[in-house]
Every structure is written in structure tokens, then in C-alpha cells.
Amino acid sequence: MILKKLNAQDANIIAEQFLKNKYHDRGMLKWQVFFLSDHTSAINKEVNSPIPKKRAEMSQTEISECLSEAWKYGKTVILQLNQVDINGTPTEFTGYIKGYQSEWIWVLIQGELHKITLTTIRNCQYK
């Protein structure tokens, strides 16, 4: 077997022909091995989690009583906000009340502290 030295132009022509006629790109399939098991399980959990339904709107007094008791006794609460996503699914959080300041509350959700305006809360329930 004799190896022939190619110039750059001939090498480019051969490479183009190979990519056009013989190489089949597997798309995203080739990247699937890079997904970590934690990432995959998080995606599966999100996909399999139930879609929250719009709950009855509570008065500010009822919401304040629910939040006050949850804060006082360390209860877990499910807060549904007045905002919805593109599909009409309401925004809902589960967490612990960690404090309040005038019209704001601080909620611990999955280890992160969030500041939420009281007037944006539609419904409050104990978990």
C-alpha cells in the first residue's frame, strides 16, 4: 500500500464528499451520555409532578391568618400566586415562612430564601 500525500485543496474535496455522502450526524443522540443521573432524575421529577389547579382566591385576612400560623408553628405552606404561565398554570410554591416585613414575606423554598409580596398571593394552604 502506497500512501499519497494530499494537498490542502484535495483534502478539503475528499472531506466534503465524505461529510455529504457517508457521514450521518446522530444529532442530540451523541450528547445523551453527558447527562448526569441527578439531572435526568430532576427532569423526570419535574415532568411527573402534578400540575397545580387554580384554587379559590382567599381574602387578605384569610391569607394573613394562614401565614401567621405557619410562621408561628413552623408549618409548611403551599402558596399559590396570582400569576400564571403561558399554559394558564398558576405559579405555586411549597415552603416555610421565615419572616415578614410590612407587605413582604420571606419564604424558604427548597433551601433558597424568596421575598414575596402579600398582594400577589392568591391562596395559602398548610401541607
Side-chain angles (χ1 to χ4, degrees):
M1 177 176 195
I2 299 174
L3 293 177
K4 184 173 147 185
K5 194 169 190 176
L6 297 174
N7 62 26
Q9 185 178 9
D10 290 341
N12 284 338
I13 290 170
I14 292 171
E16 283 179 27
Q17 288 175 350
F18 172 76
L19 292 173
K20 189 183 288 183
N21 301 320
K22 295 184 180 182
Y23 178 72
H24 174 69
D25 185 13
R26 300 182 314 162
M28 283 301 296
L29 186 62
K30 63 187 171 197
W31 297 105
Q32 286 182 346
V33 296
F34 293 107
F35 280 112
L36 300 173
S37 62
D38 292 344
H39 181 76
T40 305
S41 63
I43 289 173
N44 289 338
K45 184 179 177 183
E46 186 176 318
V47 168
N48 295 329
S49 64
I51 297 171
K53 294 184 176 163
K54 208 168 194 178
R55 301 175 202 261
E57 189 165 359
M58 298 170 74
S59 70
Q60 285 298 312
T61 306
E62 292 172 315
I63 292 170
S64 294
E65 288 172 1
C66 176
L67 295 172
S68 176
E69 187 170 325
W71 181 62
K72 185 176 180 181
Y73 298 108
K75 293 182 177 182
T76 305
V77 290
I78 302 169
L79 300 176
Q80 192 172 85
L81 306 183
N82 284 320
Q83 59 190 124
V84 294
D85 68 7
I86 215 167
N87 299 322
T89 306
T91 303
E92 194 170 272
F93 300 108
T94 302
Y96 298 95
I97 308 303
K98 289 298 183 182
Y100 63 92
Q101 178 183 0
S102 63
E103 74 272 355
W104 297 91
I105 60 167
W106 296 93
V107 184
L108 186 64
I109 302 166
Q110 294 180 347
E112 291 185 22
L113 205 54
H114 294 267
K115 186 177 178 182
I116 300 173
T117 311
L118 286 173
T119 56
T120 62
I121 299 172
R122 172 185 187 76
N123 189 291
C124 174
Q125 292 185 355
Y126 305 117
K127 184 170 181 184

